[in-house]
Amino acid sequence: MRKISINRAILLTTSALALGLTATTAQAAPFIVKLNSDFSDTPVSFGFMGGTFTFSGTGDIFGPLAVSTRGNAAVRNVFGSPSVDFVNRGTVTYDDSTLGGYGSFPRATAAPYSNGDNFLGLRVGSAGNYFYGFAYTTNTTLNSFGFQTTPNTAITATAGGVPEPATWALMLLGFGALGWAMRSRKPRLRSAGLSYA
């Protein structure tokens, strides 16, 4: 029978948990792309599942964002124009129950009151399903965009890089294992130092 040291056993257990946690959360996790691209002079486009979104500047101080869509792409709209949600209002979730619904805009259409930090709800249709997403803008800068990878599932917009729960769990587990390993270390004998006066 082979003996495994306690530290090696902790390492193996931590690795197994890491693989398990990563595998279970990656299936339903949204992906977020950070861009920090200025669209005041040159439009910025990105695509997902056959739909294309293009962000461009309007030159208006209160509504600097204009959006156009191609393919099966749509954005949140209220009263026939793209509608943004202010970041400082708290959590914003986009799905099929979003106020105003979604619409396609083949030509660049201004989003009123899009100055400051805002979220814009996105939706792409594919094979009878919808994939919900968001874009995070600051005036004429597209900071990031994200999409849910599971069809017909809501997405919660985020302005910062918030780690996934699996990342937090692995980090805490790693710190715990490191602390336990340091605590269980045997103290080393120190030799008495001689000093001459």
Side-chain angles (χ1 to χ4, degrees):
M1 186 169 173
R2 187 175 173 188
K3 283 179 118 181
I4 298 177
S5 71
I6 293 177
N7 287 342
R8 188 171 290 178
I10 289 174
L11 180 64
L12 291 173
T13 304
T14 305
S15 299
L17 284 171
L19 290 172
L21 289 172
T22 304
T24 57
T25 59
Q27 296 170 355
F31 74 89
I32 297 173
V33 177
K34 293 184 180 185
L35 292 177
N36 294 321
S37 295
D38 183 13
F39 55 80
S40 58
D41 295 324
T42 306
V44 174
S45 296
F46 60 90
F48 181 73
M49 302 287 290
T52 303
F53 301 89
T54 301
F55 288 64
S56 56
T58 64
D60 181 13
I61 192 167
F62 294 110
L65 167 65
V67 181
S68 64
T69 58
R70 284 195 320 248
N72 52 1
V75 298
R76 178 176 179 258
N77 77 82
V78 175
F79 304 121
S81 64
S83 182
V84 296
D85 295 293
F86 301 120
V87 170
N88 63 356
R89 289 196 177 163
T91 302
V92 180
T93 301
Y94 297 107
D95 60 7
D96 63 345
S97 65
T98 299
L99 175 68
Y102 295 86
S104 297
F105 297 93
R107 292 190 201 127
T109 306
Y113 309 109
S114 56
N115 56 320
D117 291 332
N118 296 289
F119 292 127
L120 176 66
L122 310 174
R123 185 182 76 181
V124 175
S126 178
N129 293 307
Y130 290 118
F131 292 87
Y132 296 98
F134 71 91
Y136 168 44
T137 63
T138 302
N139 297 321
T140 57
T141 300
L142 177 59
N143 300 314
S144 61
F145 69 89
F147 277 94
Q148 181 60 261
T149 57
T150 304
N152 305 315
T153 302
I155 189 168
T156 301
T158 177
V162 179
E164 293 181 21
T167 304
W168 280 108
L170 287 176
M171 187 174 65
L172 291 174
L173 189 63
F175 282 138
L178 184 64
W180 185 85
M182 289 176 63
R183 183 176 171 92
S184 64
R185 252 174 118 178
K186 294 180 182 177
R188 294 183 183 168
L189 294 175
R190 294 185 181 179
S191 61
L194 298 175
S195 62
Y196 298 98

